[in-house]
Amino acid sequence: MPSKRLSVVVTRRLPEPVETRLKELFDVTLRDEDTPMTRAELVAAVQECDVLVPTVTDPIDAGLIGQAGPNLKLIANFGAGFDHIDVQTARSRGILVSNTPGVVTEDTAEIVMALMLGVTRRIQEGLSLMQNGEWQGYAPTALLGTRLGGKRLGILGMGRIGQAVAKRAAAFGMQIHYHNRRRLRPEVEEPLDATYWDSLDQMVARMDIISVNCPSTPSTYHLLNARRLRLLKPSAIMINTSRGEVLDENALTRMLKAGELAGAGLDVYEHGIQGNPELRNMPNVVMLPHMGSATHEGRLEMGEKVIINVKTFADGHRPPDQVVPAML
Ligand SMILES: NC(=O)c1ccc[n+]([C@@H]2O[C@H](COP(=O)([O-])OP(=O)(O)OC[C@H]3O[C@@H](n4cnc5c(N)ncnc54)[C@H](O)[C@@H]3O)[C@@H](O)[C@H]2O)c1
Ligand SMILES: O=C(O)[C@H](O)CO
């Protein structure tokens, strides 16, 4: 099928150069407002297009895929995480799914570092003192945090982002530990100077900071459940930039309220887009609005990846970033 005739619907506004290129290559329908599509709009989109370009705000579930028209052949996600797409149902209907891995890695790892520093160095408390004009001047005992150097970082999910976090944290003098579905090959593990923990329970119990970097899948749902969270040291800090569902957010909130955990840095939430409301006013919790990959460079590169995936498919090949149910 010549790529000019491929009908592509994009569910959200994308960076202007990406939209321009999509218009050059395909018969593309772009979105005017920068809001998520309603369910009715998503249904209309999947009924008419050859390719849907959704993002994390679009639930592409079995019900929606069931209403797709016969032309829909590719769901080319703008984003690395694809837990909002029912890949199994798509596959059973002969619809391919692709994502944008790799280009979000460095930016998300930077946000992990920002969250770690934000919590350990009490950046939010310092900022609000300054913004409210409440600072009384330097005091040797005020706003004391803890240093990252020498602390044990436990990375849950040592893939692309986990490894990028490991490199950055090592530069801060942290000791790197990890738990992963599979142990890294020695030639990957050794340069990271990382200690592998086969038992997540044992790792969790010994770390100063945990960074969650595995995807959200059926097997990672509440991987950090109430029981596991209780294994953490009371001085430990939890960082989550993966997906809210990996961490039992209510259990985390209860522990923070009870002083059983020193703090948390969160970019993603389980309960609604804003997370458990009780987290909001805790001085030891830094909350960001899902901005791990939010850089100009990263969003352009994500757009380029989407275009390569769609163009490769239009040219009759499998998209290079195809995801399959086995990856869950
Ligand atoms: N906050 C953000 O803006 C943002 C940006 C990009 C990605 N993400 C999230 O980060 C996730 C990871 O991205 P990535 O590019 O590093 O993915 P990746 O596939 O490269 O790495 C994920 C790692 O998790 C491991 N894993 C999977 N299931 C596991 C389990 N049950 N137990 C232990 N380890 C397990 C995998 O083996 C892999 O090593 C994405 O799926 C997405 O949800 C968030
Ligand atoms: O997974 C990602 O790439 C980000 O979380 C946005 O979707």
Side-chain angles (χ1 to χ4, degrees):
M1 187 189 306
S3 51
K4 264 285 175 208
R5 294 176 45 218
L6 206 64
S7 136
V8 178
V9 173
V10 182
T11 66
R12 293 299 296 264
R13 293 301 311 270
L14 297 181
E16 193 272 328
V18 177
E19 292 190 341
T20 302
R21 188 67 183 136
L22 281 164
K23 278 192 271 191
E24 286 164 8
L25 288 170
F26 312 110
D27 173 13
V28 68
T29 304
L30 298 172
R31 187 140 174 86
D32 293 328
E33 316 90 69
D34 197 9
T35 51
M37 281 188 168
T38 63
R39 184 73 172 183
E41 287 172 319
L42 278 175
V43 170
V46 295
Q47 284 177 346
E48 77 187 42
C49 67
D50 302 313
V51 177
L52 184 74
V53 178
T55 191
V56 64
T57 51
D58 305 306
I60 313 295
D61 51 33
L64 185 82
I65 294 170
Q67 295 181 74
N71 295 336
L72 183 65
K73 286 287 173 278
L74 173 64
I75 299 168
N77 188 50
F78 184 91
F82 51 89
D83 46 290
H84 55 292
I85 303 174
D86 188 331
V87 180
Q88 182 73 57
T89 302
R91 189 183 179 86
S92 70
R93 301 257 322 216
I95 300 166
L96 304 184
V97 178
S98 63
N99 68 342
T100 61
V103 292
V104 295
T105 302
E106 312 298 323
D107 299 332
T108 310
E110 285 182 3
I111 283 288
V112 173
M113 297 310 298
L115 285 170
M116 274 198 239
L117 288 166
V119 180
T120 56
R121 301 305 305 272
R122 304 174 64 175
I123 302 290
Q124 182 147 293
E125 288 168 83
L127 276 176
S128 64
L129 276 183
M130 296 307 286
Q131 283 165 350
N132 298 328
E134 289 169 353
W135 188 43
Q136 302 292 320
Y138 175 87
T141 56
L143 282 174
L144 306 189
T146 49
R147 75 164 62 114
L148 288 184
K151 299 295 184 307
R152 292 173 151 223
L153 171 66
I155 298 174
L156 169 53
M158 194 65 141
R160 296 175 184 87
I161 297 171
Q163 290 175 41
V165 169
K167 287 178 194 154
R168 283 158 179 76
F172 276 76
M174 300 186 80
Q175 297 167 27
I176 310 303
H177 300 255
Y178 75 99
H179 171 81
N180 199 45
R181 204 165 30 166
R182 275 184 294 276
R183 186 170 183 169
L184 298 179
R185 296 191 310 278
E187 64 272 25
V188 181
E189 188 185 273
E190 276 165 28
L192 294 171
D193 197 12
T195 304
Y196 175 68
W197 292 81
D198 188 39
S199 158
L200 178 56
D201 282 1
Q202 287 184 19
M203 182 179 88
V204 162
R206 286 164 179 79
M207 296 299 120
D208 298 303
I209 302 184
I210 296 285
S211 175
V212 186
N213 295 113
C214 59
S216 169
T217 68
S219 71
T220 63
Y221 177 76
H222 280 194
L223 203 51
L224 292 171
N225 55 18
R227 182 194 66 77
R228 261 199 190 113
L229 290 174
R230 280 197 296 274
L231 299 174
L232 285 159
K233 299 193 283 189
S235 57
I237 286 167
M238 177 63 61
I239 306 292
N240 188 9
T241 58
S242 141
R243 287 290 184 264
E245 290 74 12
V246 182
L247 177 62
D248 182 339
E249 190 176 274
N250 288 339
L252 178 84
T253 307
R254 282 195 300 275
M255 286 182 67
L256 287 163
K257 272 174 75 178
E260 293 162 359
L261 204 57
L266 307 170
D267 188 44
V268 288
Y269 304 95
E270 182 182 10
H271 299 295
I273 55 169
Q274 308 210 344
N276 185 320
E278 291 189 278
L279 289 166
R280 258 172 245 161
N281 296 318
M282 293 187 192
N284 51 346
V285 177
V286 176
M287 299 173 80
L288 294 178
H290 199 153
M291 53 196 279
S293 67
T295 64
H296 293 291
E297 299 92 333
R299 292 286 155 88
L300 282 177
E301 289 166 9
M302 289 164 76
E304 282 163 19
K305 277 228 157 211
V306 167
I307 290 167
I308 290 169
N309 281 315
V310 180
K311 179 79 172 70
T312 307
F313 170 75
D315 292 342
H317 309 287
R318 287 188 179 277
D321 301 308
Q322 185 184 352
V323 300
V324 293
M327 292 163 81
L328 299 167

